[in-house]
Amino acid sequence: MRLGWLSVAAGAVTVWGMLAQPRATGGHPYVAMRDLAYAPRIGNAHRMDLYLPAEAAGPVPVVLWSAGSAWRADNGTTGGERVARALCARGYAVAAVAVRSSTQGRFPAQVHDGKAAVRWLRAHATRYGLDGARIAVMGNSSGGWLASMLGATAGVVGMEGDLGPTSVSSEVQAVVDLYGPTDFLSMDAHMPDGAIERLNALTGGTRGHDDAVSPESRLIGAEIQTVPERVAEADPCRWVRRGCPPWLILHGTDDPLVPFHQSRLLFDALSEAGVPATLYEMRGRVHEHDYLDETRDFTPRRVHHTGGGGTTGQAPATWTLVADFLDTALH
């Protein structure tokens, strides 16, 4: 089981001359500029790795990626190359972004960071050959939560912060959420059998997500059940409204860390608000998205659309699905 929840950052350095025609190296469909600062650095936080399509012909849309860590690490750039390999060949730039951990800043610091990164990309779009009018956000686990918070809170003053450029919008045009949490207070009630015990073994707690040492409590700064009003502020479902960008949600039904029910809550909120959204219910999959890399389709799935109804046997949940969704959402 791959835990995006506990991942570690890594990467080498490649630099693109700002005025030079980008050229791929090592057979990759991208060139990379690493360790850009979109706000004053705090540890590894506020760092960005920017991957640009090698064959760009004009301003390109951007996918902002931030990896999950249970908010325990400032390692959001992890996995950026994996995303770039898949999406740069389809004409997308990928910005892998590190936000603050829960030890570096309590909620909503992470949302402030994500919005600062979006604004930075928009403010520097001309310099890097980006299309500032077409920015999508994507992440897994706590990174998926961040993507959903950025998609749901456009125009919410208290979520903006004052980091980085402030004269441009932090609004995004599409969201890809890979098994992100939503309603922290209901997580334990929907965990698979035995999952709370496994979570306790990872965190050192005794009461699952409700424990004082849980990732959610550390993010909020208090045991979550004691501060429900504050926890509600961190639930993207609360902020969803008509006019939000389209969503693609993928979540394994056997996820032992973030129960599938969390994505169902988000999908239902989007449906009620009339927001275009698709939820892939990946049967038997856990806290991972390795299926995106699988060339053959072995995972049973049920696909839900906010337009109504559920279907089986639709397009495989691969990077092609993600790219096709972005093509439509960012047309």
Side-chain angles (χ1 to χ4, degrees):
M1 178 173 62
R2 178 172 297 169
L3 303 183
W5 218 67
L6 300 169
S7 50
V8 178
V13 177
T14 305
V15 178
W16 175 50
M18 190 171 59
L19 300 179
Q21 176 66 28
R23 294 185 182 279
T25 59
H28 297 309
Y30 59 78
V31 290
M33 290 172 291
R34 301 187 190 276
D35 213 22
L36 303 173
Y38 65 87
R41 291 281 291 269
I42 300 175
N44 194 56
H46 300 161
R47 169 191 168 192
M48 176 187 297
D49 293 339
L50 183 60
Y51 302 86
L52 299 165
E55 303 299 330
V60 295
V62 190
V63 178
L64 186 156
W65 161 266
S66 194
S69 68
W71 306 283
R72 297 171 70 171
D74 54 359
N75 64 345
T77 57
T78 303
E81 287 188 80
R82 179 186 187 189
V83 181
R85 284 196 302 270
L87 297 182
C88 286
R90 288 285 295 258
Y92 292 94
V94 172
V97 170
V99 303
R100 280 172 282 180
S101 69
S102 57
T103 59
Q104 294 166 327
R106 304 297 190 191
F107 170 81
Q110 296 72 23
V111 181
H112 290 171
D113 292 352
K115 286 179 176 284
V118 172
R119 292 194 301 265
W120 189 94
L121 288 166
R122 192 160 273 135
H124 294 84
T126 300
R127 179 179 183 181
Y128 295 110
L130 309 175
D131 186 343
R134 295 190 291 165
I135 299 178
V137 285
M138 179 178 182
N140 67 305
S141 194
S142 58
W145 167 86
L146 176 64
S148 287
M149 286 296 294
L150 297 181
T153 60
V156 178
V157 174
M159 295 294 176
E160 286 294 328
D162 58 2
L163 294 170
T166 57
S167 61
V168 292
S169 172
S170 65
E171 186 174 353
V172 299
Q173 285 68 57
V175 179
V176 181
D177 169 17
L178 305 176
Y179 48 93
T182 52
D183 177 14
F184 301 162
L185 300 180
S186 70
M187 293 178 78
D188 282 352
H190 297 275
M191 294 279 275
D193 290 344
I196 290 181
E197 290 74 18
R198 293 196 294 275
L199 175 62
N200 288 337
L202 286 170
T203 64
T206 59
R207 294 183 291 113
H209 293 283
D210 290 344
D211 200 283
V213 299
S214 76
E216 296 75 27
S217 293
R218 290 183 182 276
L219 175 71
I220 298 298
E223 293 185 26
I224 56 175
Q225 295 291 348
T226 68
V227 286
E229 299 86 0
R230 200 184 313 172
V231 173
E233 298 272 324
D235 182 353
C237 300
R238 169 184 177 157
W239 303 106
V240 165
R241 70 206 181 284
R242 184 172 295 277
C244 280
W247 249 262
L248 174 64
I249 308 168
L250 300 99
H251 204 143
T253 59
D254 290 359
D255 191 328
L257 297 176
V258 177
F260 172 78
H261 179 256
Q262 294 286 290
S263 286
R264 184 77 230 193
L265 291 174
L266 176 59
F267 178 81
D268 288 346
L270 293 164
S271 182
E272 184 174 350
V275 177
T278 300
L279 168 61
Y280 268 64
E281 180 179 342
M282 303 298 291
R283 304 300 302 178
R285 301 308 287 243
V286 289
H287 198 71
E288 43 95 17
H289 52 283
D290 289 347
Y291 44 79
L292 293 180
D293 295 306
E294 294 172 0
T295 56
R296 298 185 64 184
D297 181 25
F298 294 113
T299 304
R301 64 203 175 278
R302 186 168 179 82
V303 186
H304 308 269
H305 305 281
T306 52
T311 58
T312 58
Q314 286 206 345
T318 64
W319 287 108
T320 298
L321 171 74
V322 174
D324 288 347
F325 164 77
L326 293 172
D327 286 351
T328 300
L330 301 179
H331 65 279

